[in-house]
Amino acid sequence: MYDVIVIGAGPAGCTAAKTLSDKGYKVLLTERFAMPRNKSCSGILIKKSVELIKLYFGADVPDSVKCEPFRSMGMILTDEKGREYRFEQEGLNILRSRFDHWLAQLAEKSGAEVRECASAVSCSESEGSVEVCIKGGNSKKYTERASYIIDCEGVTGTLRQSLVNAPAKNNIHTFQTFYEGSVELDPHYFYAYLQPELSEYDAWFNVKGDMLVLGTAVKDTAGTDFYFNSFISYMKDRHNLKIKNKVRTEKWIMPRISSGCAVNYGIGRVLFAGETAGFLNPMGEGISAAVESAFHAGNAVSKHFNNPDLVINDYKISSLNLRTYMQRQWDFTAELSGTFSEMKL
């Protein structure tokens, strides 16, 4: 019997696990893949993320998880009419596989049990506890019990899908490819493009070591090839992109945030954090929201451990500033681009 089972060892899950372990709770942190595992992501830590990691984990992001160029200088955004906006802000360029593994190790040092190749399939709540069905690396299923569950797996998690009726049409599909080559852009910036001919959401470019990363997001996967090829052509024409070799491709799913930035905080003794709850900033910046929301979720469980009726309401109140921040970010993006005009309240 655990006090809390945290599902997903990304930034949200590791934060929730460490927050509760630091307070003396018996925590199981499960991860469906073997670690270090990769998640398709820009791998850019904005200033807020760097500060939150320092605050919640008590450590600076080590060089071992960074990649060249180490320093990110901000974002350059091109709106649907081709107008360019520069947002200068120092941050860090990291590899998600190494970064998430480092966070999981910090959670483990605080006392959390980290279990890899353990996929949460379903759960059921009974008097005073939640029973979770887990499929192990050998495909055999077993159960674990806890007083609370904090689900941090994102929209791809099976547990969330079993609890929430969230149609696939509300998700955004991302596709990015790593190339060896060259381009006439400053590698210290993250580039986002909102032209409707390049994506159904946004397209992006950044640099990871000696690799060029180009991606596009769509609402319907049937249009992936069309938009991605249009983006490649655009980058060749505008920024002299030259491709030598394709290294790998990645696909992912993230929630489509709607007007009002609705957040699902959880059900009963099961709490959601990060993208699972619906915390996601424009251009797919989810790490800062994941870390902050998971900290509030963990604190809410700690404060009201013996009174579950108060946990979700406390979580909702304590994370109000985070949700307000997210809404402001989406409002600002809607002002810049008609692509996201529906987000304006």
Side-chain angles (χ1 to χ4, degrees):
M1 179 73 178
Y2 294 90
D3 293 322
V4 183
I5 296 176
V6 180
I7 311 297
C14 293
T15 302
K18 187 175 189 307
T19 298
L20 286 157
S21 295
D22 283 343
K23 296 178 183 295
Y25 291 96
K26 185 179 180 182
V27 178
L28 171 63
L29 173 60
T30 68
E31 169 54 47
R32 60 180 142 164
F33 300 111
M35 298 190 76
R37 56 70 180 136
N38 187 52
K39 177 184 176 181
S40 184
C41 174
S42 69
I44 300 296
L45 297 183
I46 63 173
K47 182 180 179 182
K48 182 178 181 182
S49 298
V50 175
E51 293 173 345
L52 289 173
I53 294 299
K54 177 68 174 179
L55 179 63
Y56 299 151
F57 287 84
D60 293 316
V61 178
D63 289 348
S64 60
V65 310
K66 302 173 189 174
C67 64
E68 292 288 351
F70 280 13
R71 293 175 60 204
S72 170
M73 300 305 296
M75 179 176 70
I76 297 178
L77 182 147
T78 303
D79 72 7
E80 78 276 9
K81 296 182 180 180
R83 295 172 298 196
E84 189 175 281
Y85 300 85
R86 299 175 70 90
F87 301 96
E88 305 283 347
Q89 183 187 94
E90 287 197 20
L92 296 175
N93 192 14
I94 54 101
L95 295 173
R96 277 296 300 270
S97 57
R98 297 179 186 177
F99 177 71
D100 290 9
H101 192 205
W102 171 67
L103 294 180
Q105 290 174 323
L106 293 180
E108 190 170 34
K109 287 180 180 178
S110 290
E113 177 186 338
V114 179
R115 188 177 301 174
E116 302 175 31
C117 301
S119 179
V121 177
S122 62
C123 71
S124 58
E125 186 172 335
S126 58
E127 188 69 28
S129 67
V130 185
E131 188 173 86
V132 184
C133 177
I134 298 175
K135 184 169 70 173
N138 55 8
S139 295
K140 291 185 178 180
K141 294 181 180 179
Y142 58 93
T143 60
E144 297 285 6
R145 286 192 308 127
S147 295
Y148 295 92
I149 304 296
I150 302 181
D151 185 1
C152 304
E153 273 201 307
V155 296
T156 62
T158 305
L159 185 63
R160 176 184 180 275
Q161 293 172 6
S162 71
L163 294 172
V164 178
N165 183 21
K169 67 180 181 180
N170 287 334
N171 294 330
I172 297 296
H173 301 265
T174 67
F175 178 86
Q176 68 178 13
T177 302
F178 292 70
Y179 293 105
E180 292 177 342
S182 62
V183 68
E184 294 176 0
L185 287 171
D186 187 337
H188 294 87
Y189 289 87
F190 178 81
Y191 298 84
Y193 303 88
L194 302 184
Q195 295 97 314
E197 65 270 21
L198 304 181
S199 76
E200 291 181 302
Y201 200 72
D202 69 332
W204 60 89
F205 168 81
N206 67 324
V207 175
K208 293 289 180 188
D210 58 357
M211 292 182 290
L212 310 178
V213 186
L214 296 102
T216 191
V218 296
K219 300 172 185 176
D220 184 348
T221 55
T224 299
D225 289 344
F226 169 79
Y227 286 110
F228 189 75
N229 290 332
S230 296
F231 184 44
I232 292 294
S233 296
Y234 172 87
M235 295 295 286
K236 287 180 177 179
D237 292 341
R238 296 296 181 91
H239 303 297
N240 198 25
L241 170 67
K242 296 184 185 299
I243 295 173
K244 294 180 180 178
N245 299 304
K246 182 166 71 173
V247 179
R248 70 175 187 270
T249 60
E250 297 178 344
K251 298 178 181 179
W252 200 254
I253 302 174
M254 62 182 182
R256 181 183 179 187
I257 307 303
S258 58
S259 179
C261 296
V263 172
N264 188 334
Y265 298 91
I267 303 170
R269 290 176 175 267
V270 181
L271 280 68
F272 300 144
E275 291 182 22
T276 311
F279 285 109
L280 184 67
N281 296 316
M283 309 304 115
E285 194 287 301
I287 294 178
S288 67
V291 170
E292 191 170 0
S293 62
F295 175 77
H296 290 306
N299 263 348
V301 169
S302 175
K303 286 171 63 178
H304 305 287
F305 190 84
N306 295 317
N307 197 343
D309 292 338
L310 300 178
V311 172
I312 288 182
N313 190 56
D314 185 283
Y315 174 29
K316 184 176 181 179
I317 293 171
S318 62
S319 61
L320 179 60
N321 287 340
L322 170 61
R323 184 180 175 187
T324 302
Y325 170 86
M326 181 173 72
Q327 180 66 67
R328 287 201 311 269
Q329 295 295 305
W330 281 107
D331 284 349
F332 180 68
T333 305
E335 291 285 351
L336 291 179
S337 175
T339 302
F340 297 101
S341 59
E342 65 185 52
M343 295 300 299
K344 186 67 177 175
L345 288 177

